[in-house]
Amino acid sequence: MSRERPNSVWRSLDRKAMAVAEFTLRQQRKRLSTWVVLGVAMLAMGVLTMFYVDAMVRDYDAVDNDGDASDFDQDGYPNGQERLYGTDIFDSTDHPGLLDPPVAPDDRSVWVNEDDFDWDSLAEGSYGVDDDGDCDREDRTASQKDDNRNGIPCDIAVSTGLFGNTVVETDGNVDEDPDDEAYAKEASHRAFVLAIGKFGFVFLLGIFIPLFMATGLIRDEMTSGTMHFMLAKPIARTEVFLYRILGFLGIAWPYMIGLVGLVAVITGFVGPGDAIFRWQDLGVWLSVLLAALFAVLVYANLFCLLGVMWKHGIVLALPFAAWELGMILTTLGAPDAAILRFSVIGWAMNVVDAGAAMAWSDTGLLIAVGMWGGGNGPLEGAEALRIFASDTGLGLAPLPTMIVSLGVLLFQAAGCWFLGGALFKAKEID
Amino acid sequence: MMPDMSQQGREGSSDWTPDTTAPIVYLNGVSKSYGRIHALSNITLGLSGGVTGILGLNGAGKSTLFKLLMGKVRPSAGEVRIFGEDPWKNPAPYARVGFVPEHEKMHDWMTALEFVATFARLHGMTKPQAEKEALRVLDFVGLSDVANKEIGRFSKGMRQRTKIAHALVNDPDLIVLDEPLQGCDPLARTTIMNVIRELGKLGRTVLVSSHILSEIERITEQIVIVHHGKLVALGNLHAIRDRLDQIPHTIRLVGDDVKHLAKDILDHPAVYGLSFPSSDELLIQTYHFGALHAELPGIIVRGEHRVREIDNPDDDLESLLTYLTGGGA
């Protein structure tokens, strides 16, 4: 008889959820402390990004890693050129200018960064290219040309070591004078993205935004007495808990998306590479964002729970944050440590590392080659990248790692909500 | 302008069906202690329909009683039922309840309309429905002209009326008001009292607590007196009150020209003493409190006196309790 759809239980739940979430969102927006917290967080990320931009626009000294731009005998011919023509680098009376036909001396700068890494061939496992021809010289024996004994003269062999690490074995004088600036920028760029992603967005913002904004979601209303209004309505306390969290996420999640997006766009344009925008970083940024959003979700439920449990619950949040700091540092050195299973950040880091492994599959090679640095490593940026890049910790392929980790984070959030709701339900409110 | 008394609300309320045979409010042997403090002991009470005043001194257990009814605290012993349901376990009966807490803190950043509409949505109303209902109840308590002002800028009386409006938005059958008149100016008091009386006439069950006897007296005759966590009296106030009139009372007046007012009052046969604790304060001693209290406003208006405050520092409830408990209150 009624043309309207009946008011199902679901629809009225839906209305309550929207009402509480909307109320919470507006309440947070009206608070000065919200904007102070979000403003400080944005400022901190902004300062870090400025350091990054500075690192990207400054000039790096081109280092003559193999010393063949020097001219030991002062005859005007750089050592590299003399070696190429087989003349004596220590004898000024012997140089390529005396050959027939005579060779004009090269400018020294020609012999800096003259034998860069050959990334495409390296990625396939072997065959560096001896760009400057100082390995494959006629006066060297076959065994001199094959230091790494893989049967191929003048190449670089890349293999996987005993612990899953990348091993670079080189025949002498191959790729021995890499382009330092290109390497430093690429490595520093990746190191920065991982560092700000892991420590900035997932850890610092992931913990501190919920710490300041979610701890009081229930507690503040209980202490001020305004919770009486909400609890005198036909709504279960576990629902109130959940919808309050939803309202908090309504402000925290768009903020995270905006800030991560902003830094991603800046680094995409400023970062190294021939293209205008570094689309190849997109996967890493998306995994950073996913990890940050899930971390915020778990921490918000946890801190709200602590607030319900005890009026001074924030005190309990601090040792927990310290624990999480210990855990994130552990993920850098030992991403597969079992103790990381008992943290939130360990699983969030798995997400980032899995995303990085998918988007930048050659990071391990980049680190290994940079640490070797043509025999004179580590190159600038290599150590930073080695610190912030980690393997995925679960021993699974990147995609399953990400799915499992996100599932665990969701489970942790649900567990905190369940426990927090139960505590809230058992709480007598004055 | 007459407020809209039709109270046609309750759109989109939940699917819960109440037990129509159960009393609306029912407490059976209910006790509540906080550690070693007994806030309520062995209260048994059943109420359905009409306005009931819950009288008691501060700390007598009135608020604890309401907290039990509203499922805020769990009884230490006994059973609490509203509409036949245990409120500690099931919030569903609140679809038919309106509660005005005594806490002063409100969401000051909201407008009255937003405040009432937001909490109306927790009854399952859609946003437009909630706004419509909110405007209806704000009109009912006489706040429709300030509906879009922030609560933070409201006077105490306006805040109380906003709270009452919020409690009425679901057209409840049971309305619980914890000290609704506390701190209100005389105009707000009158408005609130009228609203409560109207609700009683509409057949709603209304529980209203107070520690001031004369306030309750103006609202209802049906009272429950709570003292030291125990139920000491239940029934018609006037029967008790007539006999109480023989006990001496003090009325305190504050105004600019209390000396002139004193002259007019001195002639009244019920007055047996006057004193001036300060230049703008007058204390009147009387044996016939009821009679004088009824005539006092007339005397003030006829003499064109300016009176800012009238109250009973003797706290006549205390006298009543002394009387009821045989002097050992």
Side-chain angles (χ1 to χ4, degrees), chain A residues 186-195 267 278-285 288 352-366 385 388-389:
Chain A
E186 180 66 29
S188 305
H189 170 83
R190 291 191 191 188
F192 172 78
V193 171
L194 289 172
T267 57
R278 285 181 60 101
W279 292 106
Q280 66 267 38
D281 298 346
L282 200 65
V284 184
W285 282 117
V288 165
V352 178
D353 286 327
M358 283 191 276
W360 297 332
S361 52
D362 58 350
T363 298
L365 178 67
L366 189 67
L385 183 57
F388 289 111

Side-chain angles (χ1 to χ4, degrees), chain A residues 289-332:
Chain A
L289 181 61
L290 261 181
L293 296 183
F294 274 68
V296 165
L297 174 74
V298 180
Y299 291 133
N301 276 288
L302 181 68
F303 293 151
C304 189
L305 175 158
L306 292 178
V308 172
M309 195 164 77
W310 187 30
K311 201 158 62 172
H312 308 291
I314 201 156
V315 172
L316 299 175
L318 294 177
F320 176 75
W323 165 262
E324 291 290 277
L325 177 64
M327 289 301 107
I328 191 175
L329 294 175
T330 307
T331 62
L332 298 181

Side-chain angles (χ1 to χ4, degrees), chain A residues 15 228 233 237 428-429, chain B residues 32 71-72 74 124 127 166:
Chain A
R15 287 172 191 164
H228 287 282
K233 303 289 175 286
R237 292 190 188 181
E428 298 200 329
I429 296 164
Chain B
K32 176 67 193 172
K72 302 286 164 60
R74 190 209 314 250
K127 218 169 163 178
H166 126 278

Side-chain angles (χ1 to χ4, degrees), chain B residues 110-174:
Chain B
M110 298 179 110
T111 67
L113 178 62
E114 285 166 354
F115 177 76
V116 178
T118 296
F119 287 101
R121 288 168 71 191
L122 297 189
H123 287 287
M125 294 182 200
T126 62
K127 218 169 163 178
Q129 273 172 352
E131 269 170 25
K132 199 182 103 201
E133 295 300 305
L135 283 172
R136 175 181 63 80
V137 287
L138 282 169
D139 189 44
F140 183 65
V141 298
L143 287 178
S144 51
D145 49 337
V146 289
N148 288 310
K149 283 222 174 87
E150 277 180 23
I151 294 171
R153 293 158 63 192
F154 278 12
S155 69
K156 178 77 209 222
M158 288 156 89
R159 293 163 75 90
Q160 284 293 3
R161 278 144 72 192
T162 310
K163 278 177 8 187
I164 294 172
H166 126 278
L168 297 179
V169 77
N170 57 324
D171 190 21
D173 295 314
L174 169 64

Side-chain angles (χ1 to χ4, degrees), chain B residues 106-229:
Chain B
M106 289 175 81
H107 302 291
D108 287 349
W109 50 273
M110 298 179 110
T111 67
L113 178 62
E114 285 166 354
F115 177 76
V116 178
T118 296
F119 287 101
R121 288 168 71 191
L122 297 189
H123 287 287
M125 294 182 200
T126 62
K127 218 169 163 178
Q129 273 172 352
E131 269 170 25
K132 199 182 103 201
E133 295 300 305
L135 283 172
R136 175 181 63 80
V137 287
L138 282 169
D139 189 44
F140 183 65
V141 298
L143 287 178
S144 51
D145 49 337
V146 289
N148 288 310
K149 283 222 174 87
E150 277 180 23
I151 294 171
R153 293 158 63 192
F154 278 12
S155 69
K156 178 77 209 222
M158 288 156 89
R159 293 163 75 90
Q160 284 293 3
R161 278 144 72 192
T162 310
K163 278 177 8 187
I164 294 172
H166 126 278
L168 297 179
V169 77
N170 57 324
D171 190 21
D173 295 314
L174 169 64
I175 300 121
V176 180
L177 305 102
D178 200 353
E179 297 274 4
L181 301 168
Q182 201 171 27
C184 290
D185 54 281
L187 182 67
R189 263 166 216 257
T190 311
T191 318
I192 293 170
M193 286 177 185
N194 286 341
V195 166
I196 295 171
R197 276 196 296 261
E198 287 302 333
L199 290 168
K201 277 185 205 156
L202 290 166
R204 307 298 151 84
T205 305
V206 182
L207 297 185
V208 49
S209 77
S210 176
H211 60 283
I212 298 165
L213 185 59
S214 58
E215 282 179 356
I216 290 296
E217 203 169 19
R218 286 173 62 189
I219 301 171
T220 181
E221 294 184 1
Q222 189 184 343
I223 58 159
V224 169
I225 299 179
V226 186
H227 191 52
H228 289 321

Side-chain angles (χ1 to χ4, degrees), chain A residues 4 7-9 11-28 30-31 220-237 239-240 243-244 424-430, chain B residues 11-15 32-34 67 70-75 88-89 91-95 97-101 103 105-107 109-111 114-115 118-127 129 150 163 166-167 169-170:
Chain A
E4 265 183 43
N7 287 320
S8 67
V9 174
R11 274 182 68 200
S12 80
L13 274 185
D14 189 37
R15 287 172 191 164
K16 289 181 203 172
M18 283 309 294
V20 177
E22 205 182 298
F23 165 76
T24 307
L25 190 106
R26 294 194 49 207
Q27 188 181 32
Q28 299 262 23
K30 290 272 175 182
R31 279 196 192 131
D220 289 355
E221 299 279 310
M222 286 203 292
T223 45
S224 74
T226 41
M227 188 51 89
H228 287 282
F229 295 114
M230 204 168 278
L231 293 187
K233 303 289 175 286
I235 182 168
R237 292 190 188 181
E239 281 182 77
V240 172
Y243 303 157
R244 292 285 282 170
F424 187 29
K425 216 169 166 177
K427 197 100 183 166
E428 298 200 329
I429 296 164
D430 278 318
Chain B
E11 278 181 272
S13 51
S14 83
D15 58 330
K32 176 67 193 172
S33 8
Y34 294 98
K67 277 175 200 156
M70 297 312 294
K72 302 286 164 60
V73 298
R74 190 209 314 250
W88 175 255
K89 288 184 180 144
Y94 296 136
V97 179
F99 177 52
V100 180
H103 291 263
K105 195 93 195 270
M106 289 175 81
H107 302 291
W109 50 273
M110 298 179 110
T111 67
E114 285 166 354
F115 177 76
T118 296
F119 287 101
R121 288 168 71 191
L122 297 189
H123 287 287
M125 294 182 200
T126 62
K127 218 169 163 178
Q129 273 172 352
E150 277 180 23
K163 278 177 8 187
H166 126 278
V169 77
N170 57 324

